[in-house]
Amino acid sequence: HSFPTRRSSDLYGRNFLLPRNVAKEATKANKHQAVVDKQVAEHRAAQRKDEATMLAAQVSKVTVKLTVKMGENGKMFGNVTSKDVAKALIAQTGLDIDRRKIELKQPVSGPGDYVAVVKLHPDIASEFNVRVDAE
């Protein structure tokens, strides 16, 4: 009488992966659910990209206004950072943007016009203007 031999990968799946809910048995229902889950994930990813595209169009029309204190010698007190620009953008527009995704293209050295970039999606970035005025 011969017994069927089990491969180590079968045992690994049965003894380790399945009990820990890391994997599921490849039944017809589970395969179908995997296909449905993939379609839902792709649909949500497409929605996020569409939302980022619309948000990028809105952001590109914005000019963020900041005021800085100037010393008697014409130098700024302190620095204007990306964090300051992000806070001003969110306050002035009310848009829901992750402030960590905003950066200045060049450092702010005094009053004037600057450009900042916001990364809204791995494929979508939008530039907007920053106007810095002396107080």
Side-chain angles (χ1 to χ4, degrees):
H1 191 82
S2 94
F3 292 100
T5 59
R6 294 206 184 258
R7 295 185 318 213
S8 62
S9 59
D10 291 339
L11 294 173
Y12 178 65
R14 187 183 69 193
N15 295 330
F16 184 81
L17 297 176
L18 291 175
R20 287 170 178 79
N21 292 323
V22 174
K24 292 183 179 180
E25 194 175 345
T27 64
K28 187 175 182 178
N30 287 343
K31 287 179 185 179
H32 175 72
Q33 187 61 46
V35 170
V36 170
D37 291 346
K38 183 179 178 186
Q39 290 171 343
V40 168
E42 288 171 353
H43 179 71
R44 287 185 180 148
Q47 280 182 321
R48 282 192 299 275
K49 188 170 184 177
D50 290 345
E51 289 169 3
T53 302
M54 289 188 298
L55 192 55
Q58 290 176 333
V59 168
S60 67
K61 298 174 187 171
V62 170
T63 298
V64 174
K65 294 177 177 70
L66 294 169
T67 56
V68 295
K69 291 184 180 182
M70 301 294 287
E72 292 177 16
N73 58 2
K75 290 195 176 187
M76 285 190 330
F77 286 123
N79 294 328
V80 174
T81 64
S82 295
K83 186 177 180 181
D84 299 325
V85 172
K87 192 190 283 187
L89 174 67
I90 293 167
Q92 292 174 22
T93 63
L95 297 174
D96 183 23
I97 296 174
D98 184 356
R99 61 183 66 202
R100 295 169 298 185
K101 305 285 183 174
I102 297 172
E103 62 184 46
L104 287 162
K105 287 187 96 172
Q106 69 274 3
V108 174
S109 56
D113 293 320
Y114 299 90
V115 176
V117 177
V118 60
K119 188 107 167 134
L120 299 168
H121 186 272
D123 301 331
I124 300 169
S126 182
E127 293 184 353
F128 61 95
N129 296 314
V130 178
R131 176 78 188 150
V132 178
D133 295 318
E135 194 173 74

